[in-house]
Amino acid sequence: MRAVEGLAGDPGAQPQRTMLAWNRTMLAAVLGAMLVALTAERQQRPVIAAVAGLAALALLVLVLRDLRSWRHDGSGPWTSLLHVGIAVVVLAALGGALAIVGLVP
């Protein structure tokens, strides 16, 4: 990751810890998508369950790819931040879709 201005002498500003924290957030989104898939399956909503299962798989692939490709001198935290943002939006959309479909008879 690129050095941030003003943090060069700060040993507490560790890019690896930040990257691992973002990946833990992504793993939480994977678990959330799996929970949505299981809930949709129990409510007999197979389309939402399938989409949520595929989303969980795609998010897991992103996490594993980010972990494998991380280097201390990499391109910066923006890729991980973008992946976390995508994961949060996908999880919110799946949960919202499940809630809306659950309300409609």
Side-chain angles (χ1 to χ4, degrees):
M1 300 180 103
R2 291 185 185 146
V4 178
E5 298 279 331
L7 294 178
D10 185 3
Q14 298 176 0
Q16 185 177 15
R17 283 188 183 180
T18 303
M19 186 273 309
L20 289 172
W22 285 120
N23 282 319
R24 281 192 303 269
T25 304
M26 286 281 291
L27 287 174
V30 168
L31 291 175
M34 290 173 58
L35 183 62
V36 169
L38 291 173
T39 303
E41 185 62 34
R42 294 186 106 198
Q43 292 181 358
Q44 298 176 354
R45 309 286 185 197
V47 173
I48 295 175
V51 170
L54 290 174
L57 182 63
L59 294 174
L60 184 61
V61 167
L62 282 177
V63 169
L64 295 175
R65 192 184 75 177
D66 285 349
L67 283 172
R68 283 187 61 125
S69 66
W70 186 82
R71 291 184 319 259
H72 186 66
D73 59 348
S75 63
W78 302 116
T79 304
S80 294
L81 186 60
L82 176 66
H83 291 164
V84 169
I86 289 170
V88 169
V89 169
V90 166
L91 184 58
L94 288 170
L98 188 61
I100 290 170
V101 169
L103 293 175
V104 177

